[in-house]
Amino acid sequence: MGGWAIAVHGGAGVDPNLPKERQEEAKRLLTRCLDIGISALRSNLPAIDVVELVVRELETDPLFNSGRGSALTENGTVEMEASIMDGPKRRCGAVSGLSTVKNPVSLARLVMEKSPHSYLAFSGAEEFAKKQGVELVDNEYFITEDNVGMLKLAKEANSILFDYRIPTIATCGAGAAAMDSPLQMNGLPISVYAPETVGCVVVDKEGRCAAATSTGGLMNKMTGRIGDSPLIGSGTYACELCGVSCTGEGEAIIRSTLAREVAAVMEYKGLSLHEAVDFVIKNRLDEGKAGLIAVSKNGEVACGFNTTGMFRGCATEDGFMEVGVW
Amino acid sequence: MGWAIAIHGGAGVPPSLPPEKRLPREAGLRHCLDVGIAALEARNHPLDVVELVVRELENYPYFNAGKGSVLTTRGTIEMEACIMDGKTMKCGAVSGLSTVVNAVSLARLVMEKTPHIYLAFGGAEAFAREQGVETVEMSHFITPENIERLKQAQEAGRVQIDYTQPDGAVADGDGQTGTVGCVAVDNEGNLAAATSTGGIVNKMVGRIGDTPVIGAGTYANHLCAVSATGMGEAIIRGTVARDVAAVMEFKGISLKEAAAYVVDRAPPGTTGLVAVSSTGEVAMPFNTPGMFRACATEDGYSEISIWESPSK
């Protein structure tokens, strides 16, 4: 058996022009979250508790696109979603359409443990939150100035990019910054797209795997839009063999049931974690852009992405630790 | 080869189902199967076929989808549906609908007319209005049988997720725990799947089940198309629909073997599915006591069943 291992991510698809200090800020946050996870693992907390703890930290910090700092809907509001899965019995919980719940990942856990269901959304989820007494705040709490600016850019970009599926290079107007990079994800220039979904995967000393993912979703999304993050098998998956959390273009992740795919090739093809992650990223994404982090019950950790960069960090019990962007 | 189609009207049928409840459902399956057969014979694309057939199933009040949907704990309707095209792997899903007459058609519009895959609740209803799809008062979907089912479930103090209680009591007298679904393949190997449901009786407001979760209740790729039914929470955890295709691909086994494998591994009493493969195979396994189902293939074979051998 390999001991514990942990990985965190803050989104796949990074603007190559991202200012250095933003990159450093992101690395500091990832390091802090890893440290929180590592201490929890050293205190023998089970994997499911560790992933929740770490994702709560990522949600609370406004830097990435989850909890506070979430991307905004077309109406300028925040609708958050999250899911969590516990490998041993594959118990799972998910939430969507949250607008006042401070920590969506914790509500997802409560759905898993305190409700007869696996997935609650919108006003039903908010009601459940009230009944459970979780911390609630006004929707404004989650909205940052940065994102208000991003929404404006996204709207301007969309008025030029009329069909998100057709990769066109926008030609004018929508802010010099947005047009600096011709890279696009989900039809938006990468500087505006801000995927930055967060996630954490952990295997504890007992070989139990867990995974959790949380996000505000796509910038300028239609209200009511659900992405891959709360969908078990797409954005999040954990079983006896591994724990996986994905990020990137929601549609690509859903169509390829990306998180489940890693586990399926391990289970049915007998691939190792690293082989499975490579296989899935190379073969299952077609033109879609995404990334993922994964751990195996044997204490291995892996990440893969076909995007320019993914904010990530990982650590294993034998002392290995790494935080990266590219 | 040739075309093939399979439909289901829900897994989990109590052995005590009286004829007055069984006959209309068999008639419904017969009617919907015929609609599907005619559409395939007229060379319609499987995506159109599954949508058409599921619309029929939704309109038929004896199945738990569209009209005849089961009720939430508040006595309201929250419908969900999903559709997937095997060749392109494009998909669409909707949840939390209470006025849209045909949820499966709205799911298709999400797939074709938005940059997203899945819309829910207020946002989905608003989209429905923008698209001009048929909407009605919520009362249209509510049937007296479902009001009664809700009453029984609330008196029994539980959510009807497992009618196979150890004490043998089935609070729901006529097994309305399922969903509806259709899978089809044409003679060029194009595959599609669609599923639609009202959910589970006495569910919490806002509860989403397996039906709209791609890979759980609905899935299609170049190998097969699958629509599952049963206990939503177990189907999600088991990524049932996706696993049938994965097992075919990675173990190199037939559709029938793959479908049986996946259903046998699911907790007893929770899972049933219908599936077709690109080569025209059909499978309809279930580990529940019964599943309303029907299938037909181009060579003239057709079947409508409720009981008989599981893992068929």
Side-chain angles (χ1 to χ4, degrees), chain B:
Chain B
M1 232 171 71
W3 56 254
I5 180 171
I7 67 180
H8 70 75
V13 187
S16 55
L17 189 73
E20 66 265 20
K21 306 230 180 209
R22 176 174 52 85
L23 292 169
R25 286 171 174 84
E26 282 176 350
L29 288 172
R30 163 53 67 198
H31 167 76
C32 296
L33 186 69
D34 286 345
V35 167
I37 291 171
L40 280 164
E41 281 178 343
R43 311 294 221 111
N44 285 298
H45 190 280
L47 195 63
D48 294 331
V49 176
V50 301
E51 182 190 354
L52 190 64
V53 171
V54 171
R55 284 175 66 96
E56 288 295 314
L57 288 159
E58 284 169 342
N59 295 340
Y60 204 72
Y62 289 95
F63 296 119
N64 174 15
K67 187 162 187 193
S69 282
V70 298
L71 305 179
T72 71
T73 196
R74 285 229 199 96
T76 55
I77 294 272
E78 284 178 6
M79 300 172 287
E80 45 199 19
C82 183
I83 189 165
M84 189 161 187
D85 178 86
K87 189 174 202 157
T88 60
M89 293 184 62
K90 284 171 39 150
C91 36
V94 286
S95 283
L97 300 178
S98 48
T99 68
V100 175
V101 174
N102 290 105
V104 69
S105 295
L106 193 69
R108 184 155 184 195
L109 287 170
V110 172
M111 175 173 96
E112 296 181 338
K113 297 281 167 69
T114 76
H116 304 321
I117 281 185
Y118 190 2
L119 289 181
F121 292 89
E125 289 273 336
F127 176 65
R129 276 155 188 79
E130 268 169 49
Q131 292 292 312
V133 302
E134 198 183 349
T135 57
V136 291
E137 291 281 315
M138 191 173 72
S139 54
H140 160 90
F141 304 98
I142 301 176
T143 59
E145 291 90 342
N146 279 308
I147 293 174
E148 184 54 35
R149 275 190 199 100
L150 179 63
K151 187 157 164 285
Q152 284 179 6
Q154 288 177 333
E155 281 165 6
R158 59 194 164 88
V159 177
Q160 285 187 317
I161 54 175
D162 184 2
Y163 52 85
T164 57
Q165 295 295 314
D167 62 359
V170 178
D172 173 17
D174 51 1
Q176 192 77 321
T177 51
T179 59
V180 300
C182 179
V183 292
V185 59
D186 64 17
N187 56 15
E188 288 169 20
N190 293 308
L191 289 147
T195 316
S196 179
T197 189
I200 53 180
V201 183
N202 202 26
K203 66 181 178 178
M204 289 172 72
V205 169
R207 178 261 190 186
I208 292 177
D210 63 290
T211 293
V213 179
I214 299 287
T218 310
Y219 187 75
N221 66 4
H222 63 287
L223 288 171
C224 65
V226 185
S227 171
T229 168
M231 186 175 145
E233 285 69 15
I235 295 169
I236 288 175
R237 190 186 322 136
T239 54
V240 168
R242 173 68 189 108
D243 271 26
V244 174
V247 166
M248 278 184 81
E249 180 176 355
F250 297 133
K251 283 176 173 280
I253 59 182
S254 72
L255 179 77
K256 276 189 154 66
E257 290 170 313
Y261 179 88
V262 170
V263 167
D264 286 344
R265 276 191 345 166
T270 63
T271 305
L273 64 90
V274 295
V276 291
S277 74
S278 60
T279 55
E281 266 188 287
V282 176
M284 302 192 292
F286 49 97
N287 68 9
T288 52
M291 178 171 77
F292 291 111
R293 64 200 186 281
C295 68
T297 49
E298 191 167 5
D299 59 9
Y301 176 77
S302 83
E303 174 189 326
I304 298 177
S305 318
I306 303 177
W307 315 110
E308 292 150 51
S309 44
S311 295
K312 209 163 151 186

Side-chain angles (χ1 to χ4, degrees), chain A residues 208-290:
Chain A
R208 296 174 294 211
C209 299
T213 313
S214 179
T215 190
L218 197 59
M219 185 65 74
N220 200 28
K221 64 183 180 179
M222 290 171 74
T223 181
R225 179 261 189 185
I226 291 177
D228 63 289
S229 300
L231 301 186
I232 296 294
S234 290
T236 306
Y237 190 74
C239 60
E240 291 281 341
L241 292 176
C242 64
V244 185
S245 170
C246 305
T247 164
E249 292 185 320
E251 189 187 55
I253 295 168
I254 293 173
R255 285 153 48 126
S256 59
T257 50
L258 202 62
R260 171 64 183 128
E261 205 65 7
V262 173
V265 299
M266 285 180 76
E267 184 175 353
Y268 299 126
K269 276 171 86 95
L271 297 189
S272 71
L273 184 74
H274 284 95
E275 289 168 335
V277 170
D278 278 344
F279 175 88
V280 162
I281 295 286
K282 266 200 196 76
N283 299 301
R284 295 306 195 206
L285 285 172
D286 298 326
E287 302 94 46
K289 299 266 175 253

